[in-house]
Amino acid sequence: MKRLFKSPIAKVFTFLSITLFIASCSSDDTAVFETPDTPDQTDPDAPEVATLVFNEGDPSSNIPTASASGEVGTTVPGRVIFTSTDLTQRRLYITQNVLGQGDMPFNNFDLDSDDLRKALKADGSIDLDGATKKEIDFTFELPVPNIDNGSIVYSFWTTTGKGDFRDASKRLALGVGTITVTVGNGTNPAAAVREFNGIRLFAPAADGTTESFFSLLNEEVYRINEGPEFRAFWDFGYYFGASGVSDGEDSSFASTATFDASFGFPVEGLEPGEDEEDADNETLNEMYFATSTVIAADFDMLALSGELDFIAQSSSQKITNLEVGDVIEFVDNYGKKGLIKITAIEAGFNNNDFIEFDVKIQP
């Protein structure tokens, strides 16, 4: 499947290496990470460390924002100190926003260590094992991408269970704290649309083994049975035909939240199982569709985020009878607006039948 990602963030997305020492991943009495030595902040000659502090027992001491200046190609230290009393911190989520192009999961850690690999959940969050469930004190080396002017914003928060990179309020424990790294004059350029090309989804199989769902977060396609860690990533799915409908509705999109009802056939792996983490409170992403008056040629010309502001949220979480050349407006679960252009359809119910499309969405 061909995928192109033309947002400026793709040009500056880099790897984060953690300045962390590994201890243990198995004992509840030991932490996964131990904070390395950080510069003595009482020493006037020591470099300043951007530090976030959240204390559930004494919110008056919270430091929710911090800043630093950075030079391209280097890193700046960022420290997070989160202390809970009643809440149990189970995961740490980190996002990166380069040049105002939108928060993206920041989970490309150095996985040379087997212990660190064990500390990462499948969705990219950090598993807060052992003693870290009540207090964490980590120092990260935050990279400065290759940009002339602008800002890089790193956001940190902890959750009481499986969270969502696009919705920090989901099972929020402590945070959100932000560290802003400024390069040059700190002025970001006008935000461009995020663009994905050549996305292909296949007609769903009842056992969930087909790549039938798409994530607007990371431009990935997903098999429905890939597991609960990725459900928050799925925005909408594809099906061909529907039960109880005389014309079959042909090629159709439906939000993840309404997919089973729209398709008419339950697909294994879409709804949470009883043994999954906090299954009773699991939620699936909603998404709203409408046929657009924008034509394909105009779609191709769209470049800036503001050009999508005209889109209004519809009341429908599915759209049917899609044809090549159609342009579809949408508003996703998180309020982002965008357009989909249908570029190819291999019609049918078979698992190798598909729909192909391009996407432009606000960052």
Side-chain angles (χ1 to χ4, degrees), residues 186-197:
T187 302
N188 292 330
V193 296
R194 298 174 63 218
E195 181 176 353
F196 317 124
N197 293 330

Side-chain angles (χ1 to χ4, degrees), residues 24-42:
S24 168
C25 289
S26 58
S27 171
D28 284 342
D29 298 322
T30 54
V32 173
F33 304 123
E34 291 178 359
T35 296
D37 293 334
T38 54
D40 181 1
Q41 298 298 288
T42 63

Side-chain angles (χ1 to χ4, degrees), residues 101-121:
Q101 287 295 310
D103 293 319
M104 300 292 289
F106 206 80
N107 49 31
N108 288 302
F109 305 114
D110 181 356
L111 296 181
D112 289 341
S113 165
D114 288 339
D115 286 335
L116 180 54
R117 188 176 290 106
K118 293 176 184 177
L120 292 179
K121 291 290 191 179

Side-chain angles (χ1 to χ4, degrees), residues 7-276:
S7 166
I9 193 171
K11 300 178 182 178
V12 294
F13 194 82
T14 60
F15 294 114
L16 171 64
S17 59
I18 304 180
T19 309
L20 301 169
F21 292 96
I22 305 302
S24 168
C25 289
S26 58
S27 171
D28 284 342
D29 298 322
T30 54
V32 173
F33 304 123
E34 291 178 359
T35 296
D37 293 334
T38 54
D40 181 1
Q41 298 298 288
T42 63
D43 180 357
D45 296 324
E48 182 178 356
V49 176
T51 303
L52 304 176
V53 177
F54 284 85
N55 189 332
E56 184 188 6
D58 182 16
S60 65
S61 65
N62 288 356
I63 304 175
T65 61
S67 60
S69 296
E71 295 183 8
V72 169
T74 67
T75 63
V76 298
R79 187 177 182 182
V80 295
I81 306 171
F82 288 7
T83 304
S84 61
T85 51
D86 297 329
L87 293 168
T88 298
Q89 302 178 88
R90 299 190 182 279
R91 301 191 187 202
L92 172 64
Y93 283 79
I94 307 172
T95 61
Q96 180 200 52
N97 188 337
V98 180
L99 297 177
Q101 287 295 310
D103 293 319
M104 300 292 289
F106 206 80
N107 49 31
N108 288 302
F109 305 114
D110 181 356
L111 296 181
D112 289 341
S113 165
D114 288 339
D115 286 335
L116 180 54
R117 188 176 290 106
K118 293 176 184 177
L120 292 179
K121 291 290 191 179
D123 70 346
S125 60
I126 297 175
D127 186 10
L128 301 178
D129 183 66
T132 58
K133 291 179 180 178
K134 289 298 183 183
E135 181 173 5
I136 64 172
D137 186 346
F138 300 157
T139 298
F140 299 85
E141 290 298 323
L142 306 176
V144 183
N146 185 18
I147 60 177
D148 294 327
N149 294 291
S151 64
I152 309 100
V153 180
Y154 293 93
S155 298
F156 303 81
W157 69 94
T158 58
T159 63
T160 59
K162 184 177 63 177
D164 185 341
F165 279 105
R166 289 180 286 183
D167 181 7
S169 67
K170 187 174 184 178
R171 302 189 179 102
L172 177 66
L174 295 177
V176 175
T178 58
I179 295 176
T180 301
V181 181
T182 300
V183 177
N185 61 23
T187 302
N188 292 330
V193 296
R194 298 174 63 218
E195 181 176 353
F196 317 124
N197 293 330
I199 304 301
R200 182 176 290 187
L201 298 180
F202 293 86
D207 62 1
T209 56
T210 53
E211 293 183 331
S212 301
F213 277 78
F214 183 63
S215 173
L216 294 163
L217 174 65
N218 59 6
E219 69 170 306
E220 291 293 327
V221 297
Y222 286 92
R223 296 192 307 274
I224 307 169
N225 66 350
E226 283 198 83
E229 286 291 331
F230 298 103
R231 271 201 205 98
F233 288 43
W234 306 340
D235 292 296
F236 66 97
Y238 171 69
Y239 65 87
F240 186 90
S243 64
V245 180
S246 59
D247 64 1
E249 294 189 343
D250 295 334
S251 297
S252 305
F253 289 145
S255 72
T256 309
T258 64
F259 189 85
D260 270 356
S262 298
F263 183 36
F265 301 96
V267 179
E268 183 177 334
L270 184 58
E271 295 291 339
E274 294 181 359
D275 59 341
E276 291 182 16

